[in-house]
Amino acid sequence: MPLFPRDILDRLPEARWPRLWLSLLCLALWLPGLASLPPGDRDESRFAQASRQMVESGDYVRIRFGEEERNKKPVGIHWAQAASVRAVETLGLGHRGEIWPYRLPSLLGALLAVLATYHWGRALVGRRAAFLGAALLASCTVLVVETHIAKTDAALLATVAAAMGLLGRAYLAPGTFTARQAAGFWAVLGVSILLKGPIGPMVALLAGLTLAVADRAAGWLRALRPLWGVPLMLGMAAPWLVAIGIATEGRFFAEAVGGDMLSKVGSGEEAHWGPPGYYLATFALAAFPAAFLVLRALPAAWRDRMSPGTRFLLAWAAPTWLLFEAVATKLPHYTLPAFPALMLLAAAWAMDPLRRPAPRWLSGLGLGLFWLVAAALGVAAALLPWLADRRVDPVALLVLPAALLLAGGVTAMLRRGGPGRAALLGAILAVPVYGLILGGVLPRLEAPWIGPRLAARLAEAAPTGDVQGGFGVVGYHEPSMVFATGTGTALLRDGAAGAAFLGAEPGRTVAIGDRDQAGFRAAAMRAGLNLREIGLVEGYNYTRGRRLTLRLFQAVP
């Protein structure tokens, strides 16, 4: 009996409620680990903590992490996260100290991106191919990961997919493109500016310029009504931009543009440098399990470039991809705005009954990389608990069989059922792989999640009255620790500062890293403090690449 009946894979793209089936697939792929995976370093916890401080302070203009201004990204995602937290607390489902409410905008953004890919993809590649392309997008590793991170990129993808869908409609049928659709296009781009500055408009602009040059005609752009559309786009972002400029006396623009955006273009910010070709080299992992199909489809897409739908998708994906390859700072999710177009191109080829086979070397390369990534995920999941906690995790041992089942099922379906069925089967069989990793393996680790364990140790002491005053830390200043232990956590410079903090008021607690123990004890002795150790937390700081031990102290009479 086949692993998955071919007739089900054939009927699913033509199901009566395609959006419902896509939504169910998305939830099955993304929900595991959403609540159980602890907050990560560094971007997620920085975003979540800044949003938490908005809720706590009621200041929805300035973005702060502790006492420090965070003038890097616009405010849109913080508003979305703050609204999510308020809704969760109002309904009594959780509280602002949990990370999952801050991840809900990422999950919702990814879901909207998948549904937008299907909705507007129908006009570009047809209904069946649009369904497959949306399912492939939902299962891509990079998007699955982004739904579990409380930051901007999944929400940004929703605006890009919607805006580019409307742009594609204007390109294919400018005569029927309404003013209402044009207003939607510019409004969505306005939202994207509030999420991540110029990225969304840049994708649309590059596609429009590419099509104008390739077609030697740009009359269709008039259907977008840019004379009032551009002011609408800018007007949506302008009130906050004016407010933040006044509130920070211009520092936001100096730091966001000069310090953040331009530094990423010219140099590898925060050690995230990569050579040109980085995204091509990592595509098999970022787009797993769909990458093999994209590689097979690209030659056919280039041959079919005179077809309006294919031409638009190529103009969407290619210049955006090349631009990010040229930028010095590289992270796997940067090319995500091009993924809907790539998945639709792959699906269009797979669903074409007259498709020409891909070159044998390219098919072999794609399938070989597919098996390599599947095996690597399984092996890495099995090794991770041992490397982190020196233990064998039975749940982690299940990932390799699940990944090999995925790879074997897709390969078998390729041979007897065709690429479309195989790709859809891959998206479905990815559910247990991601579920085991994100819902089983990673949350059960101990060493990497230092902040939550430190907060738990403090909470254990609180019922006895041991922890009454403030809390400070020396030697571990990662954002996840601040989010876990609270906004009032004091980040102290060295052991002497830790001793001074402890002696300043009664009831205070400090956590001292192993490298600062000697200096702390010497300073405490000089100050005449009687130290009591109330616990320790051992772990692995993965952002620094080293193990550490934090000891918790109080001063007693």
Short mmCIF file of all heavy atoms in Angstrom, two decimals, residues 161-182:
data_model
loop_
_atom_site.label_atom_id
_atom_site.label_comp_id
_atom_site.label_asym_id
_atom_site.label_seq_id
_atom_site.Cartn_x
_atom_site.Cartn_y
_atom_site.Cartn_z
N ALA A 161 3.83 39.58 -0.01
CA ALA A 161 3.02 38.68 -0.82
C ALA A 161 1.75 39.37 -1.30
O ALA A 161 1.33 39.21 -2.46
CB ALA A 161 2.68 37.43 -0.02
N ALA A 162 1.10 40.14 -0.43
CA ALA A 162 -0.12 40.84 -0.82
C ALA A 162 0.17 41.94 -1.84
O ALA A 162 -0.54 42.07 -2.85
CB ALA A 162 -0.80 41.41 0.42
N ALA A 163 1.20 42.75 -1.57
CA ALA A 163 1.52 43.84 -2.49
C ALA A 163 1.94 43.31 -3.86
O ALA A 163 1.50 43.83 -4.89
CB ALA A 163 2.63 44.71 -1.89
N MET A 164 2.75 42.28 -3.88
CA MET A 164 3.20 41.74 -5.15
C MET A 164 2.07 41.02 -5.88
O MET A 164 2.03 41.00 -7.12
CB MET A 164 4.38 40.80 -4.93
CG MET A 164 5.63 41.50 -4.41
SD MET A 164 6.18 42.87 -5.47
CE MET A 164 6.70 41.96 -6.93
N GLY A 165 1.14 40.44 -5.14
CA GLY A 165 -0.03 39.86 -5.79
C GLY A 165 -0.84 40.92 -6.50
O GLY A 165 -1.30 40.72 -7.65
N LEU A 166 -1.04 42.06 -5.85
CA LEU A 166 -1.76 43.17 -6.49
C LEU A 166 -0.98 43.75 -7.65
O LEU A 166 -1.55 44.11 -8.68
CB LEU A 166 -2.08 44.24 -5.44
CG LEU A 166 -3.17 43.86 -4.43
CD1 LEU A 166 -3.14 44.80 -3.25
CD2 LEU A 166 -4.53 43.88 -5.11
N LEU A 167 0.35 43.84 -7.49
CA LEU A 167 1.17 44.33 -8.59
C LEU A 167 1.07 43.39 -9.79
O LEU A 167 1.01 43.84 -10.95
CB LEU A 167 2.62 44.47 -8.13
CG LEU A 167 3.60 45.11 -9.13
CD1 LEU A 167 3.23 46.57 -9.37
CD2 LEU A 167 5.03 45.00 -8.63
N GLY A 168 1.07 42.09 -9.53
CA GLY A 168 0.91 41.13 -10.61
C GLY A 168 -0.43 41.27 -11.32
O GLY A 168 -0.52 41.15 -12.54
N ARG A 169 -1.48 41.54 -10.55
CA ARG A 169 -2.80 41.76 -11.16
C ARG A 169 -2.77 42.99 -12.06
O ARG A 169 -3.35 42.98 -13.15
CB ARG A 169 -3.83 41.93 -10.04
CG ARG A 169 -5.27 42.01 -10.48
CD ARG A 169 -5.79 40.69 -10.99
NE ARG A 169 -5.73 39.66 -9.98
CZ ARG A 169 -6.71 39.42 -9.09
NH1 ARG A 169 -7.79 40.17 -9.08
NH2 ARG A 169 -6.59 38.42 -8.23
N ALA A 170 -2.10 44.06 -11.61
CA ALA A 170 -1.99 45.25 -12.44
C ALA A 170 -1.19 44.98 -13.71
O ALA A 170 -1.51 45.50 -14.79
CB ALA A 170 -1.35 46.38 -11.64
N TYR A 171 -0.17 44.16 -13.61
CA TYR A 171 0.66 43.85 -14.78
C TYR A 171 -0.09 42.99 -15.79
O TYR A 171 -0.02 43.24 -17.00
CB TYR A 171 1.93 43.12 -14.32
CG TYR A 171 2.85 42.72 -15.45
CD1 TYR A 171 3.54 43.67 -16.17
CD2 TYR A 171 3.01 41.38 -15.77
CE1 TYR A 171 4.40 43.30 -17.20
CE2 TYR A 171 3.87 40.99 -16.79
CZ TYR A 171 4.55 41.96 -17.52
OH TYR A 171 5.39 41.59 -18.54
N LEU A 172 -0.83 42.01 -15.31
CA LEU A 172 -1.53 41.11 -16.22
C LEU A 172 -2.76 41.76 -16.85
O LEU A 172 -3.07 41.49 -18.02
CB LEU A 172 -1.95 39.84 -15.47
CG LEU A 172 -0.84 38.93 -14.97
CD1 LEU A 172 -1.44 37.75 -14.22
CD2 LEU A 172 0.03 38.44 -16.11
N ALA A 173 -3.46 42.59 -16.09
CA ALA A 173 -4.70 43.18 -16.61
C ALA A 173 -4.83 44.62 -16.13
O ALA A 173 -5.68 44.93 -15.29
CB ALA A 173 -5.89 42.35 -16.15
N PRO A 174 -4.02 45.52 -16.65
CA PRO A 174 -4.08 46.90 -16.17
C PRO A 174 -5.42 47.57 -16.43
O PRO A 174 -5.82 48.45 -15.68
CB PRO A 174 -2.94 47.59 -16.93
CG PRO A 174 -2.70 46.73 -18.12
CD PRO A 174 -3.00 45.34 -17.69
N GLY A 175 -6.12 47.16 -17.50
CA GLY A 175 -7.39 47.79 -17.83
C GLY A 175 -8.48 47.52 -16.82
O GLY A 175 -9.44 48.30 -16.72
N THR A 176 -8.39 46.43 -16.08
CA THR A 176 -9.41 46.08 -15.09
C THR A 176 -8.93 46.31 -13.66
O THR A 176 -9.64 45.95 -12.72
CB THR A 176 -9.83 44.61 -15.25
OG1 THR A 176 -8.70 43.76 -15.03
CG2 THR A 176 -10.39 44.37 -16.65
N PHE A 177 -7.77 46.88 -13.50
CA PHE A 177 -7.22 47.12 -12.16
C PHE A 177 -7.89 48.36 -11.59
O PHE A 177 -7.75 49.46 -12.11
CB PHE A 177 -5.71 47.31 -12.24
CG PHE A 177 -5.02 47.23 -10.90
CD1 PHE A 177 -4.83 46.00 -10.28
CD2 PHE A 177 -4.52 48.36 -10.28
CE1 PHE A 177 -4.18 45.90 -9.05
CE2 PHE A 177 -3.87 48.28 -9.06
CZ PHE A 177 -3.70 47.04 -8.45
N THR A 178 -8.63 48.18 -10.49
CA THR A 178 -9.47 49.25 -9.96
C THR A 178 -8.71 50.17 -9.02
O THR A 178 -7.63 49.84 -8.52
CB THR A 178 -10.67 48.64 -9.21
OG1 THR A 178 -10.18 47.95 -8.04
CG2 THR A 178 -11.44 47.66 -10.09
N ALA A 179 -9.31 51.31 -8.76
CA ALA A 179 -8.74 52.25 -7.79
C ALA A 179 -8.69 51.63 -6.40
O ALA A 179 -7.76 51.90 -5.62
CB ALA A 179 -9.55 53.54 -7.77
N ARG A 180 -9.68 50.81 -6.10
CA ARG A 180 -9.67 50.15 -4.79
C ARG A 180 -8.48 49.20 -4.67
O ARG A 180 -7.85 49.14 -3.61
CB ARG A 180 -10.98 49.38 -4.62
CG ARG A 180 -11.15 48.73 -3.27
CD ARG A 180 -12.51 48.07 -3.18
NE ARG A 180 -12.69 47.41 -1.90
CZ ARG A 180 -13.80 46.76 -1.53
NH1 ARG A 180 -14.82 46.70 -2.39
NH2 ARG A 180 -13.88 46.18 -0.34
N GLN A 181 -8.18 48.46 -5.73
CA GLN A 181 -7.02 47.59 -5.70
C GLN A 181 -5.73 48.39 -5.60
O GLN A 181 -4.79 48.00 -4.89
CB GLN A 181 -7.01 46.71 -6.95
CG GLN A 181 -8.10 45.65 -6.97
CD GLN A 181 -8.18 44.91 -8.28
OE1 GLN A 181 -8.08 45.52 -9.36
NE2 GLN A 181 -8.36 43.60 -8.23
N ALA A 182 -5.66 49.51 -6.30
CA ALA A 182 -4.47 50.37 -6.21
C ALA A 182 -4.29 50.90 -4.79
O ALA A 182 -3.18 50.92 -4.26
CB ALA A 182 -4.59 51.53 -7.20
#
